[in-house]
């Protein structure tokens, strides 16, 4: 069963935003309502104290002048002695000794817990004869608790209504904001092959999204075209050795002559080896296109170049390695260096007349491997495409020499993935010069 988080993530975006905003708004407004409700009582008390203080000031001035205070609407003014007994001729106030001490200290207080509540504030003054008097002012607090409760209820209702209004407003705004996204989605569904999304006029997130989506479409179309071209070339290249093996096998079956059968089997073996090399090259390029890149390590190029020369088949033109007195380290893997050197040397063996020279030239940030031969070289008009897949300068000669058209393409792709470069030019002997540049790596890297 999916978790609540998974179920929530599957809801439409407008619903999630609306519910989230409504929940946050309701929580905030309810919190404010609770705080405001709790503050209504103290606020009412503070207001009563201010009113009492305003009425008490002229009353104390009158008593100090030897007169009784005048009446004030809504406020009861009394003059008491220091013990709390009335001296103004009025009835008893009901204030006890504790209340009298509190009022003499200038602190307000409430009386009448089981009857109508009264808020009192007092001040001690002296008559012209020097007699101390306690002047008190009181006002009723009838309905205070009921008004606080009613106000709290209204605040809670207001918070709920505000959250509902916020949810409706959010829903409308989000739906309006997502309307261009809906139009873009419908445009994507109806987008024909090779077309692009129109960019909105506003320089906002939707324009950036449409621009990135168009870039993604361009990359996808480029990848699809490259795949179609690669598939077509691979099918074309595989057809020739397979057809050759089939024809030669049919000849061997139709002619049981042992000598002819032996020659046919030798041709079939050669075509099979060519087919195997072609399939290995296709697999290597497919892995490269899939982004497989093992971690690099320092590889010593002089040692690898000498090992590649020793791996040349018997009958190959003489090859020598020219390198520094120390060592030259490349940032790659041993398998990649072997692939590059093997393919460059096999290519040079096909066309060299008498010699092949492999030079390793280290620098401060890069290290170069140069392979020179004294063959016919690569014409300038072909040098820009010689590293393309299945491209051959001379198709007939490449087929007769066992070439698949993938060796140099694998060299270029392998070096490129490590941030290096490959190039082709003319050697001092007049043949071809293939140059590979790798980044330098220290032996402890």
């Amino acid at each position: 069963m999916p978790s609540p988080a998974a179920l929530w993530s599957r809801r439409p975006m407008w619903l999630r935003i609306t519910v989230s905003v409504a929940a946050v708004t309701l929580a905030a407004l309810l919190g404010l309502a609770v705080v405001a409700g709790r503050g209504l009582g103290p606020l009412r008390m503070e207001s009563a104290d201010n009113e009492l203080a305003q009425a008490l000031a002229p009353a104390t001035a009158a008593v100090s002048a030897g007169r009784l205070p005048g009446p004030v609407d809504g406020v009861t003014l009394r003059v008491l002695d220091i013990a709390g007994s009335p001296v103004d001729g009025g009835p008893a106030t009901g204030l006890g000794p504790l209340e009298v001490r509190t009022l003499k200290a200038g602190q307000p207080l409430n009386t009448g817990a089981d009857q109508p509540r009264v808020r009192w504030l007092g001040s001690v003054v002296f008559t012209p004869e020097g007699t101390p008097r306690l002047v008190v002012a009181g006002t009723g607090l009838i309905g205070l608790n009921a008004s606080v409760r009613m106000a709290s209820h209204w605040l809670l209702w207001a918070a709920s209504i505000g959250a509902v209004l916020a949810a409706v407003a959010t829903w409308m705004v989000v739906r309006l904001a997502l309307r261009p996204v809906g139009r873009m989605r419908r445009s994507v569904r109806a987008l024909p092959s090779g077309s692009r999304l129109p960019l909105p006029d506003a320089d906002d997130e939707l324009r950036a999204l449409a621009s990135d989506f168009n870039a993604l479409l361009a990359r996808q179309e480029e990848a699809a075209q490259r795949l179609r071209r690669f598939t077509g070339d691979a099918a074309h290249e595989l057809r020739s050795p397979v057809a050759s093996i089939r024809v030669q096998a049919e000849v061997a079956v139709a002619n049981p002559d042992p000598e002819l059968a032996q020659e046919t089997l030798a041709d079939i073996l050669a075509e099979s080896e060519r087919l195997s090399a072609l399939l290995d090259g296709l697999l290597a390029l497919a892995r490269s296109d899939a982004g497989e890149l093992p971690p690099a390590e320092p590889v010593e190029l002089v040692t690898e170049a000498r090992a590649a020369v020793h791996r040349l088949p018997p009958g190959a033109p003489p090859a020598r390695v020219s390198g520094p007195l120390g060592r030259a380290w490349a940032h790659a893997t041993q398998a990649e260096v072997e692939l590059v050197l093997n393919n460059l040397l096999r290519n040079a063996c096909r066309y060299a007349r008498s010699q092949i020279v492999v030079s390793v030239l280290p620098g401060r940030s890069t290290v170069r491997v140069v392979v020179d031969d004294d063959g016919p070289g690569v014409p300038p008009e072909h040098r820009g495409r010689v590293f393309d897949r299945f491209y051959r300068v001379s198709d007939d000669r490449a087929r007769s020499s066992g070439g698949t058209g993938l060796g140099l393409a694998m060299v270029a792709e392998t070096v490129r993935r490590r941030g290096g470069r490959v190039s082709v030019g003319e050697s001092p002997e007049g043949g071809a010069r293939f140059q590979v540049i790798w980044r330098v790596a220290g032996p402890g890297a």
Side-chain angles (χ1 to χ4, degrees):
M1 181 178 178
S3 63
L7 292 175
W8 172 251
S9 63
R10 296 175 185 175
R11 300 301 95 193
M13 181 181 293
W14 64 266
L15 178 61
R16 285 182 288 162
I17 295 177
T18 302
V19 172
S20 300
V21 171
V24 173
T25 304
L26 180 60
L29 292 180
L30 287 178
L32 291 176
V34 171
V35 172
R38 291 179 177 178
L40 285 176
L43 183 63
R44 176 74 181 275
M45 293 296 179
E46 183 179 358
S47 177
D49 291 342
N50 292 333
E51 184 179 355
L52 293 175
Q54 293 177 2
L56 192 61
T60 56
V63 173
S64 297
R67 304 188 306 272
L68 292 176
V72 177
D73 293 339
V75 178
T76 301
L77 294 174
R78 301 298 303 274
V79 181
L80 312 176
D81 59 15
I82 296 303
S85 300
V87 296
D88 55 1
T93 59
L95 296 173
L98 181 61
E99 285 86 356
V100 171
R101 285 197 299 269
T102 302
L103 291 174
K104 287 193 294 184
Q107 299 296 325
L109 59 86
N110 296 332
T111 61
D114 299 329
Q115 55 186 350
R117 302 178 65 186
V118 179
R119 184 73 169 176
W120 293 96
L121 183 64
S123 177
V124 177
V125 297
F126 292 89
T127 64
E129 295 80 13
T131 304
R133 293 287 184 260
L134 175 62
V135 182
V136 295
T139 184
L141 297 177
I142 299 174
L144 174 63
N145 294 333
S147 63
V148 170
R149 287 194 299 270
M150 185 176 295
S152 299
H153 292 162
W154 278 108
L155 287 173
L156 294 177
W157 276 106
S160 302
I161 295 173
V164 172
L165 294 178
V168 173
T170 302
W171 175 78
M172 296 177 62
V173 171
V174 172
R175 293 303 294 264
L176 289 175
L178 292 179
R179 186 172 295 177
V181 178
R183 290 197 297 266
M184 183 181 297
R185 184 181 61 190
R186 291 189 293 271
S187 300
V188 170
R189 290 177 179 174
L191 197 65
S193 178
S195 299
R196 298 291 184 269
L197 284 175
L199 297 179
D201 296 332
D203 189 10
D204 55 6
E205 290 78 4
L206 289 179
R207 182 182 179 91
L209 176 62
S211 178
D212 292 343
F213 188 80
N214 288 338
L216 175 63
L217 288 177
R219 292 195 300 270
Q220 292 293 332
E221 291 182 359
E222 181 183 356
Q225 292 176 0
R226 187 166 58 247
L227 178 60
R228 286 194 296 268
R229 185 170 59 250
F230 180 76
T231 304
D233 292 341
H236 176 73
E237 293 295 328
L238 290 172
R239 186 182 300 116
S240 296
V242 171
S244 177
I245 291 174
R246 178 179 178 180
V247 170
Q248 292 168 352
E250 290 176 350
V251 170
V253 171
N255 299 276
D257 184 2
E259 295 183 1
L260 180 59
Q262 186 66 27
E263 294 178 1
T264 304
L265 288 176
D267 294 339
I268 291 176
L269 177 60
E271 290 295 334
S272 299
E273 291 176 349
R274 180 169 175 264
L275 179 61
S276 177
L278 180 60
L279 291 175
D280 290 340
L282 290 173
L283 181 59
L285 290 175
R287 288 174 176 170
S288 177
D289 291 339
E292 296 182 10
L293 188 63
E297 59 186 11
V299 181
E300 209 288 299
L301 292 180
V302 177
T303 303
E304 294 297 329
R306 290 170 178 164
V309 168
H310 293 156
R311 288 193 297 269
L312 290 177
R320 61 183 178 89
V321 177
S322 174
L325 296 178
R327 295 191 171 189
W329 299 89
H331 184 75
T333 66
Q334 185 173 0
E336 292 171 348
V337 172
E338 289 180 357
L339 184 146
V340 170
L341 293 175
N342 289 342
N343 280 280
L344 290 179
L345 287 173
R346 279 200 294 264
N347 181 77
C349 287
R350 295 189 187 103
Y351 305 113
R353 296 189 179 94
S354 60
Q355 66 172 344
I356 300 171
V357 179
V358 181
S359 303
V360 179
L361 308 172
R364 300 186 63 179
S365 60
T366 60
V367 57
R368 292 183 296 163
V369 175
V370 181
V371 178
D372 294 315
D373 64 62
D374 57 354
V378 180
E381 62 271 17
H382 294 284
R383 293 174 184 173
R385 298 189 57 192
V386 74
F387 294 104
D388 293 347
R389 300 175 183 184
F390 302 110
Y391 184 79
R392 298 185 180 89
V393 176
S394 178
D395 192 77
D396 293 338
R397 187 171 69 174
R399 290 183 185 277
S400 64
S401 59
T404 63
L406 291 177
L408 296 180
M410 289 190 293
V411 168
E413 182 67 17
T414 301
V415 176
R416 180 194 62 80
R417 290 194 306 167
R418 293 300 180 185
R421 303 188 304 274
V422 294
S423 61
V424 59
E426 184 176 351
S427 71
E429 293 78 14
R433 162 171 284 187
F434 286 89
Q435 180 174 255
V436 176
I437 300 178
W438 268 297
R439 289 187 297 161
V440 166

